Amino acid sequence: MGPHVHHKLTRAWAMEEGFSEREAELIARADIGFDRRYPARASFVNITRHFAPTAWLWSARYLALAMDWGDLMMLGYALHCAQDGVAHGRIGTRHIVQAMGLRPDPDVWETSPAGVMRRTEAITRDRLRRFRAQPA
Ligand SMILES: [Zn+2]
């Protein structure tokens, strides 16, 4: 997924879920910065962060840390892994199919299937709500 989801939409969804503008920006910056911090091409462990099913494990781990520490950067990481898990499918099959010219680029939001858009928004809002719902 590109900056449209990892930054712009994530920021907007966070504000709709009750985070302040500043908090939403911190979450969105961590989300968009994740690909630079853990580039998928750098290592196998990094690849597991950006593709299902392992991206879901990373997302759960980062969300647990975010909630333990009240850490918005970890929350952004949790969102990134979950958003990639939806968009990329299982271990990059969508990317392979796209490379064969059979489907649009899975990292371009505008050409994503409606179901991917819906699920991406749903899993993002779910994690934002779970973070906010934790007892102080
Ligand atoms: Zn990614």
Side-chain angles (χ1 to χ4, degrees), residues 6 34-35 50 80 84 88:
H6 290 318
F34 193 78
D35 281 326
H50 303 273
H80 186 105
D84 276 3
H88 293 168

Side-chain angles (χ1 to χ4, degrees), residues 49-128:
R49 290 175 157 95
H50 303 273
F51 292 97
T54 45
W56 297 111
L57 300 176
W58 283 105
S59 182
R61 174 77 181 130
Y62 287 132
L63 184 63
L65 291 174
M67 290 171 73
D68 277 358
W69 302 340
D71 188 321
L72 295 175
M73 189 175 82
M74 287 294 144
L75 178 57
Y77 288 0
L79 298 182
H80 186 105
C81 294
Q83 290 162 347
D84 276 3
V86 171
H88 293 168
R90 294 183 74 82
I91 304 291
T93 49
R94 281 173 207 239
H95 283 85
I96 294 164
V97 173
Q98 179 243 332
M100 293 164 72
L102 300 174
R103 279 199 30 189
D105 187 340
D107 279 330
V108 176
W109 175 259
E110 289 75 10
T111 53
S112 290
V116 167
M117 290 185 177
R118 191 171 16 84
R119 289 204 312 281
T120 301
E121 181 172 349
I123 55 92
T124 301
R125 288 185 186 274
D126 167 74
R127 280 154 183 76
L128 290 166

